[in-house]
Amino acid sequence: MVDSYQETPIKILHVILLGSNKYFWRDLVQNDLEGKVDVRLSSFDVSGLGISPLNGKTLVRYAGSFTGRDFRSITQCAPYVLYDLLSDEKLAAWVSLSKLVPLIWQPVIHGCNAHIGLLQHGIRTLLLRTARWGSRWFTEPKSHLLLHLPGHVRRFGPAMLFATEAFESCNAVFRAKSVHSNLQSPSQDIAKAFVQGNRVRHLLSGGFFSHEHLDNSSNHPEVATRSSWCQIGAGPRNVMQYDETVADHLGLAPVTKMKGGKCVGKLSAKVPPRQTSTSSQLPRVPNPSRQFAMFWKAEAVVPLDGDKCELGQHVLVQSAGTAAPFVTKVR
């Protein structure tokens, strides 16, 4: 017997971003009597989040026309922007939401039981603090559906795998093929458009095809001889390497991550140790072996997780001998 509740995962876009996130943000914009939110959003430094700078006026004026990316950006910035504009109950609900969203949008889960435990705790905390804010947020079933998310993550994997945001980009194909069609068989036209796109993506990514299947339509690819499989020429395949625009449109752009444990920056003139920032901060730690060495000044440091920490940014550091992490500044 099929259990529809277990076999149908919830839509995190509608339950989270278009649920609590949307309701909280609309309430904030409607009650922003002093007009400080847009200014703070525009001046907020988001370089550490890897997103584009926020346009405060647009986010406030068009609060009802957000995309999923806009909601996620606001969720991460809200506690630092709204810390003195909200009451304690409202701010606590925003902080709980900001902690929960990164737990949900995880592409990979290391340790399923531990992750689901954190997810359950985050959901309960959000619902409890939302109830302290007011009971009017529970007029829709989205709050109840949120309780089913840990079970769906355990059954289907990370919530990003069954999120509907990635498939909404196909609406442009549906619309284009519905308009530019003779309307005799629109479903077939849409299917052919997707097949053609997948075919181009397969060939440009180095996929194989059987020329015997092209010569004789009665043969099936699975029974073709080994020597009949071939690829397209090296010229078209190199397009993916030299033109990032084509690879990005086809969803084949490689995700490059810097190697951790190194410093990066432009190679400038070398300086002696006494002219470095390390020497100014630690003047009493001489190194005889480096007394006559010369050093380049770095513009950023790459930790072991592959992120890029530029000069002037604040980072969260945890030493091997200490249990509690602390915040420090890259200098």
Side-chain angles (χ1 to χ4, degrees), residues 160-183:
M160 290 183 62
L161 298 181
F162 50 84
T164 58
E165 295 175 77
F167 303 99
E168 291 192 358
S169 59
C170 301
N171 292 339
V173 180
F174 291 137
R175 187 181 301 108
K177 291 303 175 181
S178 298
V179 173
H180 303 287
S181 172
N182 57 8
L183 302 181

Side-chain angles (χ1 to χ4, degrees), residues 139-155:
T139 57
E140 295 188 7
K142 293 182 179 181
S143 300
H144 171 73
L145 294 176
L146 191 59
L147 297 173
H148 292 274
L149 180 60
H152 294 159
V153 171
R154 184 182 296 275
R155 184 174 181 84

Side-chain angles (χ1 to χ4, degrees), residues 297-314:
K297 289 187 175 182
E299 296 181 349
V301 61
V302 182
L304 296 179
D305 58 0
D307 292 335
K308 185 178 180 181
C309 305
E310 299 180 353
L311 293 176
Q313 292 184 344
H314 291 80

